[in-house]
């Protein structure tokens, strides 16, 4: 590709993402990296409890990035970091389903749910098209589209698990997660300020925040500024977007299976990608947790424990991914992925604002 290199064309570098662990690492080989990730996640959770408007996931990925750019971690940490950045994240996505109750989502009403579908569909298609115009690699464009349109880093990792099951392009995943953190954080002060300038009431502003901001924690931070009515509306709309994770991942799986069959029929040895399941296991687990939350009397204590464990696992995964972030590499990817992230943010926010104004 001519022009500025994208995340997958940057010069080779050595990180824990490139140092592949053995296919079946022994438990003791996992302990150093996992212990570091869990410790960092604990620090992130404590920081989030002391600073309610600060997302533990953002703290965790920043800790990982700082660690990666300040010190050189021994190779013994590699297997545990790799497991946390993939396995922990998928389990965290499963537990995320406990936050979604279908009765609450249904309470939003058909018009609002249609707006949510349009936000996700418009954000996905529009971002992919913008990526083509900007000559960003299709894989990175797709990861950015999923992260910015659905639910941030969890959606990035989910899409990467479906489209890149062998982790051959982990650098694109790290770049997309970093862009989610950067642009989602920028929206925390911007959305309340713009809502005030536009004269939106708390409920409409909350719906806009839930429909446009990337991470759940970032949505909660904005909702806290808007007040109780804004917070409730923001979280419900955001959870409706999170629910779209399942059908989007299933659609991506079907697409990847078709691509695999086409490659096999072309007869080019070694080019057919591994066939993903139509419904990946972590997506099935996510849906199962949604059904449990929706139809079973889950005690409040269990929900609270699940929320804490989910945050801990996702924070540990974010630290693991953050350890793959190099400032030099983010500079090397050039301005195009950043331009794509900015335009995708504007696109999703624009669709969301138009939609909530129509249904409010």
């Amino acid at each position: 590709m001519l022009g500025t290199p994208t995340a997958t064309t940057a010069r080779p570098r050595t990180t824990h993402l490139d140092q592949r662990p053995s296919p079946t690492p022994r438990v003791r080989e996992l302990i150093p990296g996992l212990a570091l990730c869990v410790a960092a996640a604990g620090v992130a959770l404590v920081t989030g409890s002391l600073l309610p408007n600060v997302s533990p996931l953002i703290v965790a990925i920043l800790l990982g990035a700082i660690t990666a750019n300040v010190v050189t971690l021994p190779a013994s940490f590699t297997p545990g970091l790799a497991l946390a950045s993939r396995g922990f994240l998928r389990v965290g996505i499963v537990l995320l389903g406990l936050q979604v109750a279908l009765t609450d989502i249904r309470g939003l009403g058909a018009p609002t749910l249609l707006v949510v579908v349009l936000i996700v569909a418009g954000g996905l298609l529009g971002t992919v098209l913008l990526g083509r115009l900007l000559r960003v690699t299709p894989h990175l464009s797709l990861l950015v589209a999923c992260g910015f349109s659905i639910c941030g880093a969890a959606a990035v990792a989910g899409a990467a698990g479906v489209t890149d099951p062998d982790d051959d392009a982990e650098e694109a995943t790290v770049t997309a997660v970093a862009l989610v953190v950067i642009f989602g954080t920028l929206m925390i002060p911007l959305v309340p300020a713009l809502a005030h300038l536009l004269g939106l009431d708390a409920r409409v502003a909350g719906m806009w925040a839930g429909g446009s901001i990337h991470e759940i924690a970032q949505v909660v931070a904005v909702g806290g500024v808007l007040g109780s009515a804004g917070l409730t509306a923001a979280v419900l709309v955001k959870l409706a977007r999170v629910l779209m994770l399942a059908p989007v991942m299933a659609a991506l799986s079907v697409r990847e299976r078709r691509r695999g069959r086409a490659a096999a029929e072309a007869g080019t040895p070694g080019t057919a990608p591994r066939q993903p399941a139509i419904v990946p296991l972590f997506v099935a687990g996510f849906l199962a947790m949604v059904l449990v939350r929706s139809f079973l009397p889950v005690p409040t204590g269990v929900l609270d424990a699940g929320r804490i464990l989910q945050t801990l696992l996702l924070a540990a995964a974010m630290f693991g991914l953050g350890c793959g972030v190099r400032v030099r590499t983010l500079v090397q990817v050039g301005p195009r992925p950043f331009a794509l992230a900015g335009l995708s943010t504007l696109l999703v926010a624009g669709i969301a604002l138009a939609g909530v104004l129509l249904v409010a």
Side-chain angles (χ1 to χ4, degrees):
M1 181 179 291
L2 299 177
T4 307
T6 61
T8 56
T9 59
R11 291 194 299 271
R13 60 185 176 85
T14 302
T15 71
H16 82 275
L17 298 175
D18 302 306
Q19 301 167 5
R20 302 290 183 186
S22 59
T24 55
R26 291 172 293 189
V27 172
R28 66 181 180 182
E29 295 175 345
L30 298 171
I31 291 175
L34 290 180
L36 180 62
C37 288
V38 172
V43 172
L45 262 66
V46 171
T47 304
S49 66
L50 296 175
L51 303 172
N53 290 331
V54 176
S55 166
L57 304 190
I58 294 176
V59 174
I61 196 170
L62 289 178
L63 285 174
I66 291 170
T67 301
N69 287 277
V70 173
V71 301
T72 300
L73 293 173
S76 59
F77 286 85
T78 298
L81 289 171
L83 176 62
S85 61
R86 293 192 294 269
F88 279 17
L89 204 147
R90 290 182 174 92
V91 177
I93 291 174
V94 170
L95 292 176
L96 184 61
L98 283 175
Q99 293 191 29
V100 184
L102 295 178
T103 52
D104 292 337
I105 302 302
R106 185 177 59 188
L108 289 171
T112 301
L113 293 177
L114 177 59
V115 168
V116 169
V117 172
L118 292 176
I119 291 170
V120 174
L124 285 169
L125 295 175
T127 302
V128 170
L129 291 175
L130 287 169
R132 290 180 183 176
L133 292 175
L134 293 170
R135 292 189 294 169
V136 176
T137 58
H139 183 59
L140 179 57
S141 296
L142 179 62
L143 295 183
V144 170
C146 290
F148 284 47
S149 303
I150 307 173
C151 57
V156 171
V162 172
T163 60
D164 183 31
D166 296 319
D167 300 316
D168 294 324
E170 279 192 284
E171 192 171 319
T173 304
V174 170
T175 301
V177 169
L179 292 173
V180 163
V181 171
I182 292 169
F183 285 86
T185 303
L186 289 175
M187 293 186 76
I188 293 175
L190 285 177
V191 168
L194 290 173
H196 178 72
L197 288 175
L198 294 171
L200 305 180
D201 62 36
R203 178 177 171 275
V204 174
M207 292 174 65
W208 183 34
S212 59
I213 299 176
H214 313 326
E215 290 280 353
I216 289 181
Q218 295 163 347
V219 170
V220 171
V222 172
V225 175
L226 297 173
S228 59
L231 176 60
T232 299
V235 170
L236 287 177
V237 172
K238 181 59 182 178
L239 290 178
R241 286 172 68 195
V242 172
L243 193 59
M244 293 293 294
L245 180 68
V248 171
M249 293 304 106
L252 287 179
S253 295
V254 170
R255 190 196 72 159
E256 290 303 305
R257 291 174 69 87
R258 288 176 177 172
R259 290 179 60 191
R261 286 196 296 268
E265 291 171 0
T268 306
T271 59
R274 182 156 59 92
Q275 294 283 295
I278 294 179
V279 179
L281 186 60
F282 71 91
V283 175
F286 169 82
L287 289 173
M289 290 299 100
V290 171
L291 295 176
V292 167
R293 172 65 190 278
S294 302
F295 299 108
L296 295 179
V298 184
T300 302
V302 173
L303 292 176
D304 291 339
R307 186 177 297 108
I308 293 172
L309 180 58
Q310 168 224 313
T311 305
L312 179 67
L313 289 170
L314 290 180
M318 290 302 103
F319 178 81
L321 286 171
C323 285
V325 175
R326 293 293 192 279
V327 173
R328 180 181 300 176
T329 302
L330 287 178
V331 172
Q332 287 175 345
V333 302
R336 291 176 184 170
F338 287 88
L340 175 62
L343 290 173
S344 180
T345 298
L346 291 175
L347 173 65
V348 172
I351 296 172
L353 179 60
V356 299
L357 289 178
L358 285 174
V359 302

